Amino acid sequence: MVYEEVECSICHKKITPKNFCGHKKGDIYLGESCSRIVTKASILAVSVVKNPVHKYAVIFPGGMEKDIYRYHLLDTLIPRLNDAYHRWNLELTKKSHPIEKFSHVGRNDKCPCGSDKKFKLCCYKKAEIETDHHLFTFIDLLHKRCKSDEILTF
């Protein structure tokens, strides 16, 4: 990002490299911590990387304690955003599927429910299998490539 306009949180004066208000960032003035407020900025780039430096660069449904990278969620979400600050939420639920849907899964393969157990030791004999279900809710208007009534769910 390029910060085009920045102001002081104490005096609200515009800060530039040559025009400093005199308040020091991080110091306390009358009980208020001084910080800088970016009032105008431009985005240079948004990057999706394979191994992010911090966990806020990847979607972790169910919280960051479940350390599973979900890049396919980003692949679905990003083309539908208007810009990098388009507001959205993700709700993780469960969805039941008939066992016949998983006829291609071998007995010794990992169970489709996501338990990391073998299929034969987990859901093989059940009538239905519960899998993760992801529901994106867009707070702002959807991208022009989306239908207005589209619900992004998978």
Side-chain angles (χ1 to χ4, degrees), residues 24-54:
K24 189 176 177 185
K25 188 171 81 171
D27 283 358
I28 307 293
Y29 298 91
L30 298 174
E32 186 178 339
S33 177
C34 180
S35 61
R36 301 297 181 240
I37 302 168
V38 178
T39 56
K40 186 176 178 187
S42 296
I43 299 171
L44 293 178
V46 176
S47 299
V48 178
V49 296
K50 189 170 185 176
N51 293 310
V53 174
H54 55 79

Side-chain angles (χ1 to χ4, degrees), residues 1-19:
M1 290 190 104
V2 173
Y3 301 142
E4 296 172 11
E5 290 181 10
V6 179
E7 68 180 41
C8 174
S9 67
I10 303 297
C11 63
H12 299 287
K13 289 184 180 176
K14 187 176 176 182
I15 305 292
T16 65
K18 293 183 179 180
N19 183 21

Side-chain angles (χ1 to χ4, degrees), residues 47-60 67 69-71 74:
S47 299
V48 178
V49 296
K50 189 170 185 176
N51 293 310
V53 174
H54 55 79
K55 294 183 179 189
Y56 300 106
V58 179
I59 299 174
F60 289 96
D67 215 9
Y69 295 112
R70 302 284 176 101
Y71 293 109
L74 289 172

Side-chain angles (χ1 to χ4, degrees), residues 123-142:
C123 296
Y124 183 72
K125 295 181 179 179
K126 293 181 181 178
E128 291 185 332
I129 296 178
E130 271 194 354
T131 60
D132 286 346
H133 181 75
H134 308 90
L135 176 64
F136 284 99
T137 306
F138 293 92
I139 298 164
D140 299 324
L141 294 174
L142 289 173

